[in-house]
Amino acid sequence: MTDQTKRQNEEKAASVPKADTLTPADRYQELFIAVQMGCVFTDSKTFVDCVPRGDPEDILEQYREQCDDDGFDLAGFVHANFDPPQVHTSHYKSPPGQPLKAHIDSLWDVLTRHPRQHPPNASILPLPNDYVVPGGRFAELYYWDSYFTMLGLAESGRHDLLASMANNFAYLIDTYGHVPNGNRTYYLSRSQPPVFALMVELFESSGVCKAIEYLPRLRKEYNFWMAGAEEMRPGDTRGHCVCLDDGSILNRYWDDRDTPREESYREDVLTARKSDRPAHQVYRELRAGAASGWDFSSRWCDGSELSTIRTTSILPVDLNCFLYKLERQICLLNHAVGQRKQAEKFQQRAELRKQGIERLLWNEQAGAFLDYDFERAAPREALNSATAAPLFIGLASREQAQRTAQALRDRLLREGGLGTSEQDSGQQWDQPNGWAPLQWMAIRGMRNYDIDADDIACRWLRTVGALYKKESKLVEKYVVTHDGEDAEGGGGGEYPLQDGFGWTNGVTRRLLHEDPGNEANEAKAASKS
């Protein structure tokens, strides 16, 4: 990315309506707490995405003047002073008879947002270029979602949107030093699985731009994830970093704040009340769980109760594989520009991380990669589909890949696709749900080692195609514990099933292309009854 493009990004973003300088909780203080704890909106995310109709400071002052009056109507006050976000659920359904592939291609424009249309003084952060959102309640750019969405954009020939997204992610790293969870003020304290290195590869392979242009941003993102690592000694933890007994570093998910997530404020307060730990510790764990993208899962908990969450004590398989990929990418690009010493440094870092992953995360007994609880010095015994990440990134040995693929089939493969975990906890990143990004990582990972993954792809496409024929839409997640002909959208977690849906569209579009004979290519939207 040239300096000229960087300046253009900054100029474009400067012309977009500005977000509030404070997060909604910091801005509206006791009004915020009253709204969230009082359930003025059924979804806690609604208020943090609301648009103030006047000056935010004036609204808060009016609230303070009126809130103790007899008969004060909190809901009425909020609706008089804020416009709730629009959720365009009806726009995600196909007209009768539209083929699945055509439906996905037509959805990209529906899911595209234009920064110049951002409302002022709200929580939405400015971006220089148009961007694609997941859909439903998720009306902003999300980090790791976007990589899987981009797979479909590339397949649909939407290089215009790919280029826009490339510059948006570069802008976020230039501006904030990392890619936030999403472009909202309340997401700035955390990131998500670091897949920018994968995006950069996709940009180059799609002919959008050269990977080398993004080397400074890859370095900057790496510094965010590794902040403080240089001064650490064995046994230390600092932010995202954990220093192992041999002095090498592996990483964990982390959020800089230890307050309730603003978009799930009431839910987090109620969860913390069920724990015997200090509330701020529970909030930090919940935030770190959200940073993982797996919000939420028994993967992070002691049992099925969310109040037992311990995300920051766990070294995750997928996170450390993505960071290995980032180190390898920086090494290769440094080689390409003749920076030999830098290349050697990152080659060494990648090798040390690979050794740490093999030592702590490869589990010989399970024949799979498992998350590791470094506080208890023990592997997390429950298998989850993140075990495919070392295959997806190409870190596993051939024997490890074969055994991991077998473990995936034996323990997680269901009638409708690859399951997320072995536990049914009531959380959405557990049984009985399957998720598009997890299917893709397993399918692509197995194929990287010439292991047949057609059964996973076929089961997933049958599930997506069957629901599309029945309900004329794609959704965020699917039940995979029964045959695709009985397909239904997934459940569990903190909010209702969302239509749209960015990463389902992207992965499905790519898989349809790779298997043109699959019957899902012939799936058509339901006729009106």
Side-chain angles (χ1 to χ4, degrees):
M1 181 187 227
T2 64
D3 289 338
Q4 181 182 0
T5 307
K6 182 180 177 183
R7 284 194 301 273
Q8 289 173 345
N9 277 343
E10 291 170 348
E11 290 169 2
K12 287 180 183 178
S15 68
V16 172
K18 296 292 178 286
D20 194 342
T21 54
L22 299 176
T23 71
D26 292 342
R27 168 63 68 197
Y28 297 109
Q29 300 180 43
E30 65 267 36
L31 169 59
F32 174 86
I33 295 172
V35 171
Q36 297 291 55
M37 296 306 292
C39 299
V40 172
F41 299 102
T42 55
D43 185 343
S44 292
K45 193 175 185 299
T46 303
F47 185 56
V48 294
D49 295 351
C50 278
V51 180
R53 291 184 175 177
D55 181 85
E57 289 187 9
D58 291 344
I59 293 173
L60 179 58
E61 189 58 35
Q62 290 175 40
Y63 172 75
R64 287 170 172 166
E65 291 172 357
Q66 300 173 25
C67 66
D68 293 325
D69 293 350
D70 290 341
F72 175 71
D73 178 5
L74 175 61
F77 178 87
V78 170
H79 288 291
N81 286 281
F82 295 91
D83 290 321
Q86 290 182 305
V87 180
H88 303 290
T89 51
S90 62
H91 294 274
Y92 307 133
K93 288 194 174 184
S94 257
Q98 186 175 45
L100 176 55
K101 191 183 292 186
H103 170 67
I104 294 171
D105 290 347
S106 70
L107 270 186
W108 298 131
D109 287 335
V110 174
L111 293 169
T112 297
R113 299 292 177 268
H114 311 284
R116 291 185 180 277
Q117 296 176 4
H118 286 181
N121 296 321
S123 61
I124 189 82
L125 295 170
L127 289 170
N129 303 291
D130 293 348
Y131 56 97
V132 179
V133 304
R137 75 199 284 269
F138 300 110
E140 49 280 312
L141 182 76
Y142 281 84
Y143 183 9
W144 83 307
D145 293 58
S146 294
Y147 170 69
F148 301 97
T149 299
M150 287 173 181
L151 296 172
L153 289 173
E155 207 56 62
S156 296
R158 293 303 303 268
H159 292 145
D160 57 327
L161 284 173
L162 267 183
S164 292
M165 297 278 271
N167 285 333
N168 282 334
F169 281 103
Y171 169 80
L172 287 168
I173 294 173
D174 285 334
T175 305
Y176 302 109
H178 68 285
V179 180
N181 186 147
N183 65 315
R184 292 279 182 182
T185 56
Y186 54 80
Y187 284 149
L188 279 170
S189 59
R190 65 176 180 266
S191 187
Q192 271 195 325
V195 293
F196 187 59
L198 295 168
M199 292 180 179
V200 167
E201 277 191 343
L202 181 62
F203 301 153
E204 179 158 290
S205 66
S206 302
V208 171
C209 51
K210 296 291 187 183
I212 196 67
E213 297 176 16
Y214 292 93
L215 178 56
R217 281 90 208 166
L218 292 165
R219 285 291 304 268
K220 188 175 282 191
E221 178 175 53
Y222 184 74
N223 291 338
F224 166 78
W225 284 93
M226 299 302 291
E230 300 287 349
E231 300 84 35
M232 295 176 71
R233 295 177 293 185
D236 285 353
T237 60
R238 186 173 303 181
H240 295 101
C241 299
V242 177
C243 190
L244 306 176
D245 53 11
D246 64 353
S248 61
I249 305 289
L250 289 182
N251 290 75
R252 62 181 178 176
Y253 288 110
W254 183 259
D255 187 308
D256 284 341
R257 290 195 168 202
D258 62 357
T259 54
R261 290 170 298 145
E262 296 186 25
E263 74 281 9
S264 300
Y265 186 91
R266 184 172 182 271
E267 290 86 346
D268 285 2
V269 169
L270 296 180
T271 296
R273 287 176 183 173
K274 296 177 182 177
S275 174
D276 56 7
R277 292 174 290 170
H280 70 91
Q281 291 182 12
V282 180
Y283 299 147
R284 173 92 72 192
E285 302 296 343
L286 291 164
R287 283 175 167 269
S292 77
W294 290 52
D295 42 344
F296 288 105
S297 172
S298 60
R299 179 182 183 188
W300 312 124
C301 300
D302 288 342
S304 59
E305 285 295 322
L306 188 56
S307 59
T308 66
I309 189 168
R310 299 175 55 251
T311 319
T312 65
S313 302
I314 296 168
L315 300 173
V317 172
D318 45 3
L319 172 60
N320 283 285
C321 287
F322 292 139
L323 289 171
Y324 170 80
K325 176 67 176 181
L326 178 56
E327 289 162 340
R328 289 283 301 143
Q329 183 88 313
I330 294 172
C331 168
L332 292 170
L333 293 177
N334 273 313
H335 264 306
V337 296
Q339 295 179 353
R340 186 173 55 82
K341 289 186 177 180
Q342 284 291 312
E344 289 174 354
K345 181 168 73 173
F346 277 90
Q347 173 65 34
Q348 184 179 22
R349 289 180 177 181
E351 187 56 38
L352 285 172
R353 185 180 299 277
K354 182 179 180 181
Q355 291 172 10
I357 290 171
E358 290 179 337
R359 181 165 67 93
L360 290 183
L361 306 185
W362 171 255
N363 190 280
E364 184 65 24
Q365 184 177 354
F369 292 89
L370 302 180
D371 299 329
Y372 189 82
D373 187 330
F374 67 87
E375 285 195 348
R376 296 174 181 171
R380 303 280 291 176
E381 293 183 4
L383 185 73
N384 63 68
S385 58
T387 195
L391 284 65
F392 179 59
I393 295 302
L395 176 148
S397 69
R398 190 155 295 277
E399 181 190 357
Q400 288 170 336
Q402 292 283 356
R403 295 182 66 191
T404 299
Q406 194 60 50
L408 282 166
R409 284 207 178 89
D410 291 346
R411 297 172 62 175
L412 293 179
L413 187 57
R414 302 290 182 263
E415 294 90 336
L418 191 68
T420 304
S421 78
E422 296 182 288
Q423 296 194 39
D424 186 349
S425 67
Q427 298 301 327
Q428 61 175 349
W429 287 84
D430 276 316
Q431 284 198 61
N433 294 338
W435 295 77
L438 304 181
Q439 315 299 314
W440 178 253
M441 287 196 290
I443 294 165
R444 176 56 54 199
M446 290 164 69
R447 289 175 176 169
N448 283 342
Y449 293 83
D450 298 319
I451 301 169
D452 185 12
D454 291 352
D455 54 341
I456 300 175
C458 287
R459 293 179 194 210
W460 178 253
L461 286 176
R462 188 164 62 242
T463 297
V464 174
L467 187 71
Y468 178 69
K469 287 189 284 187
K470 185 166 60 175
E471 299 186 12
S472 308
K473 63 183 180 180
L474 281 76
V475 295
E476 178 188 19
K477 54 188 179 278
Y478 293 78
V479 172
V480 294
T481 51
H482 50 59
D483 187 83
E485 293 309 310
D486 298 317
E488 60 181 286
E494 300 176 320
Y495 56 84
L497 179 68
Q498 300 297 300
D499 299 344
F501 193 87
W503 60 20
T504 308
N505 302 345
V507 169
T508 301
R509 185 68 173 82
R510 182 66 178 263
L511 291 175
L512 289 171
H513 171 78
E514 292 185 354
D515 186 6
N518 189 284
E519 62 183 15
N521 279 284
E522 305 303 319
K524 292 181 171 58
S527 300
K528 290 183 179 178
S529 55

